[in-house]
Amino acid sequence: MEGPVAIERGSLMHLTEGVAPLGVAVGGGILALAGVAIGLSRLKDDQVPRAALVAATVFVVTSVVRLPLGISSMHPVLCGLCGLLLGWSAVPVYLVCLLLQALLLQVGGLSTLGVNTVAMGTAAVGVHLFFSRALKRAGDGRIFFLGAAGGFVGVLIALACWGGALVLCGGSFLVLVKAALVPYLVLGIVEALFTGFVVSFLAKLRPDVIA
Amino acid sequence: MSCSTYYAGKTWIHRLDPRPRILLCSVLVFFAMLSWSPGLLTLLFGLSLAAAGFARLPVRALGKRLLRLNLFMLVLCVVFPLTIPGELFLSWGPLSFSKAGLFKAVLITLKANAIVLFFSAWIGTIDLFSLGHALHHLHVPGKLTHIFLFTVRYLDVLHHEYQGLVRAMKVRGFRPRASLHTYRSYGHLVGMLLVRSLERSERVLAAMKCRGFTGTFHPYHHFHFHRRDYLFCGAGVLCTVLLGVLHAAWQVTS
């Protein structure tokens, strides 16, 4: 969220540079590598341009789209949507997006790239595992609600990973995690509505895109 | 949004081969993350400032980045003294601020600033296409560098498409508000962007197959070491050994 709530843009979603001690950063890096390896093994060569174009879309949308929220506004998270579109391939796509966000927009960090990739990748894969199959079989009436549920669950999983990683960085960060719970809840509700509308739109035009 | 935005320049750092730059940056950041020694962290912070100076990084852009980072560090400087027990340096009503907490927050601030400056000076001065090719030459999997380079290639294109769609909405009287209509409109905008991206990716794949694409990524940008790169590698190895010795000599438990 922008405005009075967030001090640094992205501090509610991604670990900032320098916050993670070496153990957490290396552990996150190893888990991220494992997730990326699985994602790349399930990505056929023919699907690489598709993954890259989705990565570019996610980067542009999470950077420039701002959803109004009272006196503030928020950038969409899209971890749930990314999982529904790409499945396990969302992990290498998120690695690329987070690398570019750190380099071009100075959001997140390069030393915390592994941890942040694990957080967003886990959210994307979790939503894919819980919702993709149901979404492919859903009738028109249920698509919006399944998409919305996917968006909300994605934010919840990202919160759990981000909060867990911060607490591993130091017990003192628990205060920040508790302070972020209400903003995350609001973010989750808006993300749910937004994802529901995107998924409904895609279901009408390109029902084949769900992974 | 410029997809090749980086700290451009013509200093000796910009002219170095990107591969040893990435490796040296990794070593310096590794020691910054590993160490809790005030002496070593101060030395690394000084080195990062020197690197930023040698790379002639733009003061305004870097200043904005560091300001955002240090506002967050300021929050830590309040939270840590409140939550870490120890000898107090300030007591204000029910609130007690410990020296140990403040000390830890200051060390994390030094680490974070050093890491940001190292990345800005050593990696931020590499343009994105060269970075992708350098990563490929450093044996990052071909599919991943392929995704990276394609993403960079199409960032500007998609940003341009997004701006066109937003302009079309605005000329039809769209005004963003905190309402379901706004979220639905943005949802459909993003959906449209995704549909166009997917159709573009299919055209790109067809064009690549027409040109003989068989799944292997062939990098076209290769790097060659010059004398300055060999000297730089030697200096990098010396720096690594020195930092290792200093870390062992000044090691403290966190």
Side-chain angles (χ1 to χ4, degrees):
Chain A
M1 292 184 190
E2 300 289 341
V5 177
I7 291 161
E8 184 193 8
R9 196 181 87 173
S11 60
L12 279 186
M13 292 304 304
H14 307 307
L15 260 59
T16 311
E17 203 80 85
V19 157
L22 189 67
V24 174
V26 167
I30 292 171
L31 282 175
L33 279 176
V36 166
I38 296 172
L40 289 179
S41 69
R42 294 185 187 207
L43 185 71
K44 295 184 194 134
D45 294 330
D46 281 5
Q47 292 169 329
V48 168
R50 181 174 185 261
L53 267 293
V54 171
T57 310
V58 166
F59 179 87
V60 168
V61 170
T62 54
S63 312
V64 297
V65 173
R66 287 168 70 158
L67 303 174
L69 198 66
I71 55 168
S72 186
S73 62
M74 59 167 271
H75 293 281
V77 179
L78 295 190
C79 51
L81 184 66
C82 212
L84 292 171
L85 292 175
L86 296 169
W88 277 93
S89 307
V91 186
V93 159
Y94 257 115
L95 177 66
V96 167
C97 283
L98 289 165
L99 174 63
L100 286 170
Q101 279 188 342
L103 288 171
L104 297 177
L105 305 175
Q106 287 90 47
V107 169
L110 288 169
S111 61
T112 51
L113 191 60
V115 182
N116 291 333
T117 303
V118 169
M120 303 307 283
T122 307
V125 171
V127 170
H128 162 67
L129 293 173
F130 289 139
F131 292 99
S132 282
R133 202 171 286 179
L135 204 57
K136 278 188 223 185
R137 294 192 211 135
D140 285 345
R142 288 178 60 206
I143 285 176
F144 174 83
F145 294 104
L146 281 171
F152 188 73
V153 166
V155 169
L156 282 186
I157 299 175
L159 166 66
C161 294
W162 171 81
L166 256 191
V167 169
L168 282 174
C169 293
S172 303
F173 286 110
L174 190 61
V175 170
L176 293 178
V177 175
K178 287 179 184 170
L181 283 177
V182 170
Y184 250 102
L185 199 66
V186 175
L187 203 149
I189 293 169
V190 177
E191 182 73 15
L193 292 169
F194 181 75
T195 308
F197 287 127
V198 176
V199 170
S200 307
F201 183 89
L202 288 175
K204 285 180 203 148
L205 260 76
R206 287 290 300 259
D208 58 309
V209 300
I210 304 296
Chain B
M1 175 184 298
S2 171
C3 69
S4 64
T5 304
Y6 67 109
Y7 299 119
K10 290 182 182 170
T11 65
W12 62 270
I13 286 182
H14 290 84
R15 284 196 289 268
L16 286 170
D17 190 301
R19 294 167 295 173
R21 268 196 270 172
I22 292 170
L23 293 174
L24 178 68
C25 184
S26 307
V27 165
L28 292 167
V29 167
F30 170 80
F31 279 107
M33 293 173 78
L34 177 69
S35 176
W36 286 97
S37 152
L40 189 56
L41 286 174
T42 309
L43 173 67
L44 285 167
F45 180 62
L47 284 175
S48 68
L49 281 174
F54 284 130
R56 304 247 175 101
L57 298 182
V59 174
R60 202 168 167 179
L62 194 64
K64 271 169 70 174
R65 165 74 177 121
L66 290 175
L67 182 69
R68 283 207 311 263
L69 173 75
N70 287 296
L71 282 176
F72 183 73
M73 293 297 136
L74 207 61
V75 171
L76 299 192
C77 288
V78 172
V79 168
F80 274 46
L82 282 172
T83 52
I84 293 176
E87 188 189 337
L88 300 181
F89 77 91
L90 178 68
S91 193
W92 188 34
L95 301 172
S96 308
F97 299 86
S98 69
K99 279 185 190 172
L102 183 67
F103 187 62
K104 186 163 186 183
V106 166
L107 289 183
I108 291 179
T109 304
L110 272 177
K111 279 175 188 266
N113 280 278
I115 290 170
V116 165
L117 287 168
F118 279 137
F119 277 129
S120 299
W122 296 114
I123 310 283
T125 47
I126 308 173
D127 73 276
L128 292 176
F129 283 106
S130 295
L131 180 63
H133 284 89
L135 289 172
H136 185 85
H137 286 292
L138 288 170
H139 304 291
V140 170
K143 262 189 215 170
L144 196 57
T145 48
H146 199 171
I147 294 174
F148 178 79
L149 288 168
F150 261 67
T151 306
V152 167
R153 160 70 180 91
Y154 285 103
L155 276 184
D156 273 349
V157 171
L158 284 169
H159 188 232
H160 189 70
E161 281 213 25
Y162 163 80
Q163 285 177 323
L165 287 169
V166 163
R167 214 174 296 128
M169 286 165 73
K170 284 184 176 170
V171 299
R172 285 159 178 79
F174 173 73
R175 295 287 177 269
R177 285 185 180 82
S179 65
L180 267 183
H181 170 72
T182 296
Y183 299 153
R184 186 186 299 116
S185 303
Y186 274 123
H188 289 183
L189 182 152
V190 170
M192 195 70 235
L193 210 54
L194 277 166
V195 167
R196 288 187 184 184
S197 297
L198 293 167
E199 287 172 357
R200 185 184 295 276
S201 73
E202 285 158 9
R203 289 196 302 272
V204 164
L205 180 66
M208 284 162 65
K209 283 184 169 175
C210 287
R211 286 152 180 81
F213 176 67
T214 53
T216 308
F217 172 65
H218 297 286
Y220 55 86
H221 192 23
H222 303 286
F223 306 99
H224 304 284
F225 262 30
H226 296 96
R227 196 172 67 150
R228 59 175 177 254
D229 299 307
Y230 288 108
L231 286 171
F232 179 72
C233 286
V237 168
L238 212 64
C239 185
T240 306
V241 168
L242 195 64
L243 285 173
V245 166
L246 286 174
H247 172 72
W250 292 347
Q251 195 167 25
V252 294
T253 51
S254 66

